[in-house]
Amino acid sequence: MNKMNDSSGDQGFQVNNGMFYLIRLMKKVTLSWVIIMIFLLGGCKTITKDEPIPRDMTVDQIDTDYQISSFQLDDSKTLEYRDVYHNNLSIVELEDQETYYVSTHLYLMDLKSKEITEVTAINRGNDEGRIWNFIELSDKSYLYTNVTYTGLSDFTFMDFEVIHLKEGNKKVITKGSVDNIYELPVFTVDKDAIYISVSSYDDAQDKTEGNYRIELWKFDTNTCEKIVSSTGRYYIGEHDHYSLDDECEFYSDQTIYINNNGSYFVTGNGDQKIMNKVEEGFISKVSWSLPKNLVHAIPLRHKYLVTERLKNTTEPDALISYVLDDHGTKYDLKTTLRLEDYCVLEEGVVGFYKGNTVILKDLEDRIGMTVVPELKGDIYFRKVDGNSVLVFKNGTCYNLIVK
C-alpha cells in the first residue's frame, strides 16, 4: 500500500512538472513569434534619431533687381586694376620685361566722376621692382606692397614688404618671400578697415627647408593689429618643388570674404580645410571641416556653397556641389555650381558660371540664380562695396549694383 501510494505520488509529480515545462515552452515560442513579427512589420532598417536625414536643395531661376552702368578703359597701356577703397579704384601701369613686369605709374580713379589722378608719393624699391597693390586711405596716407624680384621672374622667388606711408614716413608692417606673384599679399576692404593676408617662405633662398608663415592683419588709419599668426615647416622636394609639412597651416584662398553675416576665410593643412570667421577681432573656426579636394567654399548669406573634386578620378570636371549651414547640415545640389570667379556681397554672390555672370541668393530652402545677360564672356571682378561690383570685360568696365 505504501509502495503504491509512493508510486502514484511520483507519477503525479512527473505529470505536473511536465505540464509546467510545456507551458513555459509555449510562452517562449509565442514571445519569439511576436518579436519576429515586429521586425517583419517594421521593415529591414530602423532609423534612429541620431541618423542624418538626407536633404536636397534646388537651384531655381529667379528675378533679381539690378542696375548696370559702364565706362571705357584705356587700352593703349598695360593696366592692372586692383582694389576699391571709398569709391577710388587703384590702377597700376606695368612695363613688360619678358619674364616679369615692373610698375611704372600709379593712378586713382574716382568711380563717381571717372576722374583719374596720378599717385607720385609711392616709389618702387628699385629698377627691377613692382608695386603689387596700393590703397589711398582717408587721411591721404598709403598702404602698399613693394616687390623686389630677386630672380627676375614672376614665377621664382621674390621679396615683398607691406608698407604704410604717411607724410613721407615709411613703416614696414610685415615682409617675407614667395615663389610666384599669386602668393603675394592680398588686401580686402571692409568699409574703413583693410585686411592684409600674408604668406611667406622664410629664408627660402638660403636653405632647402625652413619656416612657412601665414598672417592676417586688420588695418585702419588708427590701428594695425595682427589677428592671425601661424608658422609651420616647408622643405624642397623633387624638381625644386616647395612642400609643406602635413600639420603646416596655409591659406586655401588669401581673399577674405565679407557679407552681412561676418568675415570669412579658408585655411588648411595636410589633413583638412577649415572655414574661419572673424568676429570682433577674434577668429573662430567652424565645428565642421571642408574636404581636402576643395575647389571653393563661398559664404552665401547664412550658408556656404561648397564645390569639391570627386575622389579617385583624374577628370578635371568631375565635381560635386552642395550647401552647408552653420551647423554643418548638408544639402545636396543636383546642379554643379562651380564659379570660375566670384565676389561675395552682403546679400548674395556675383559669379562667373558657364560663360555667364550670375547673381546667387540664399532663399532658405533653395538657391536662387539670376543670369545677367548683358555680361557674358571673359571677365573678372573687383568689389566696390556690399552691394556692387566692377566687372571688367574687353576694354569696358561695368558697375553692377545688386538691389
Side-chain angles (χ1 to χ4, degrees):
M1 291 289 294
N2 289 338
K3 230 172 154 182
M4 288 180 64
N5 287 341
D6 289 342
S7 175
S8 63
D10 290 340
Q11 288 176 1
F13 175 78
Q14 289 173 2
V15 171
N16 291 336
N17 200 32
M19 290 296 292
F20 173 76
Y21 281 109
L22 180 61
I23 292 170
R24 287 186 63 185
L25 180 60
M26 291 176 67
K27 285 183 177 179
K28 287 183 177 180
V29 170
T30 303
L31 180 60
S32 299
W33 178 251
V34 170
I35 292 172
I36 291 171
M37 289 302 294
I38 289 173
F39 272 101
L40 289 174
L41 292 173
C44 297
K45 180 182 179 183
T46 58
I47 298 177
T48 65
K49 64 179 181 179
D50 295 325
E51 186 174 344
I53 301 173
R55 301 169 186 262
D56 293 321
M57 188 174 284
T58 58
V59 180
D60 298 333
Q61 296 289 331
I62 62 169
D63 292 327
T64 299
D65 190 12
Y66 63 85
Q67 178 182 328
I68 296 179
S69 59
S70 65
F71 57 90
Q72 292 301 119
L73 301 172
D74 186 354
D75 284 340
S76 65
K77 302 174 182 177
T78 303
L79 300 176
E80 197 167 50
Y81 301 94
R82 305 302 300 177
D83 303 289
V84 179
Y85 181 84
H86 289 191
N87 252 353
N88 283 322
L89 171 63
S90 302
I91 304 172
V92 181
E93 183 178 348
L94 299 174
E95 183 179 282
D96 190 353
Q97 301 293 317
E98 294 186 0
T99 57
Y100 65 101
Y101 286 88
V102 297
S103 57
T104 57
H105 299 86
L106 307 178
Y107 307 96
L108 284 173
M109 174 188 282
D110 185 322
L111 292 176
K112 290 183 178 179
S113 66
K114 306 302 183 295
E115 181 181 349
I116 297 176
T117 57
E118 185 174 357
V119 175
T120 58
I122 301 174
N123 296 306
R124 65 180 192 240
N126 54 65
D127 290 340
E128 288 81 31
R130 177 174 180 175
I131 304 301
W132 175 246
N133 49 12
F134 76 97
I135 288 174
E136 183 182 77
L137 304 166
S138 54
D139 64 354
K140 301 303 179 182
S141 64
Y142 296 92
L143 181 71
Y144 66 98
T145 302
N146 184 64
V147 177
T148 300
Y149 288 104
T150 54
L152 301 183
S153 170
D154 278 345
F155 298 97
T156 189
F157 267 95
M158 61 197 73
D159 299 328
F160 68 83
E161 291 181 328
V162 179
I163 298 171
H164 181 215
L165 175 65
K166 186 173 183 178
E167 297 176 350
N169 296 316
K170 293 182 182 179
K171 179 182 178 181
V172 177
I173 296 172
T174 187
K175 60 183 179 179
S177 299
V178 293
D179 69 347
N180 68 81
I181 59 173
Y182 299 111
E183 292 183 310
L184 286 166
V186 173
F187 296 163
T188 304
V189 176
D190 183 12
K191 298 177 181 175
D192 292 331
I194 301 164
Y195 290 106
I196 309 166
S197 45
V198 173
S199 61
S200 174
Y201 296 91
D202 292 339
D203 302 319
Q205 297 180 65
D206 303 318
K207 302 177 181 178
T208 57
E209 60 179 338
N211 289 331
Y212 180 81
R213 167 173 50 96
I214 65 170
E215 296 174 346
L216 179 62
W217 296 76
K218 190 172 184 180
F219 177 92
D220 60 34
T221 54
N222 299 313
T223 59
C224 182
E225 179 185 10
K226 182 162 55 176
I227 59 177
V228 170
S229 181
S230 177
T231 301
R233 298 291 292 174
Y234 72 86
Y235 60 91
I236 299 179
E238 279 188 76
H239 309 297
D240 293 332
H241 177 69
Y242 281 76
S243 300
L244 304 179
D245 286 346
D246 285 345
E247 62 273 12
C248 182
E249 190 173 22
F250 58 86
Y251 283 115
S252 178
D253 183 347
Q254 284 186 224
T255 302
I256 312 301
Y257 296 103
I258 302 166
N259 61 17
N260 59 2
N261 198 36
S263 303
Y264 304 87
F265 62 98
V266 179
T267 56
N269 56 32
D271 297 321
Q272 64 181 349
K273 292 183 179 178
I274 291 288
M275 179 68 73
N276 302 262
K277 185 176 182 180
V278 184
E279 295 180 289
E280 298 179 356
F282 295 96
I283 308 298
S284 60
K285 296 181 182 292
V286 299
S287 58
W288 37 264
S289 62
L290 294 164
K292 288 175 61 175
N293 49 338
L294 179 71
V295 176
H296 58 55
I298 307 171
L300 183 60
R301 201 160 173 254
H302 299 294
K303 296 184 178 70
Y304 310 89
L305 173 61
V306 179
T307 297
E308 63 173 283
R309 288 185 176 85
L310 295 176
K311 298 177 181 178
N312 303 321
T313 179
T314 57
E315 294 294 327
D317 296 327
L319 307 171
I320 186 172
S321 294
Y322 51 90
V323 172
L324 295 173
D325 65 15
D326 279 330
H327 305 291
T329 304
K330 183 178 178 181
Y331 301 84
D332 292 325
L333 294 176
K334 294 182 179 180
T335 303
T336 300
L337 276 179
R338 180 186 184 178
L339 304 183
E340 298 295 333
D341 192 11
Y342 52 90
C343 184
V344 176
L345 302 179
E346 286 184 1
E347 293 290 340
V349 172
V350 174
F352 187 55
Y353 175 67
K354 292 186 175 179
N356 296 296
T357 298
V358 297
I359 302 168
L360 301 180
K361 290 194 173 183
D362 170 23
L363 302 179
E364 299 299 338
D365 61 339
R366 59 198 174 107
I367 301 297
M369 175 189 288
T370 301
V371 176
V372 182
E374 300 93 333
L375 300 176
K376 293 178 179 287
D378 241 358
I379 56 175
Y380 64 94
F381 304 108
R382 292 291 183 264
K383 185 175 180 178
V384 177
D385 54 37
N387 300 306
S388 60
V389 56
L390 298 180
V391 184
F392 294 87
K393 174 191 172 185
N394 297 334
T396 302
C397 181
Y398 300 85
N399 190 356
L400 173 62
I401 301 173
V402 181
K403 298 181 179 180

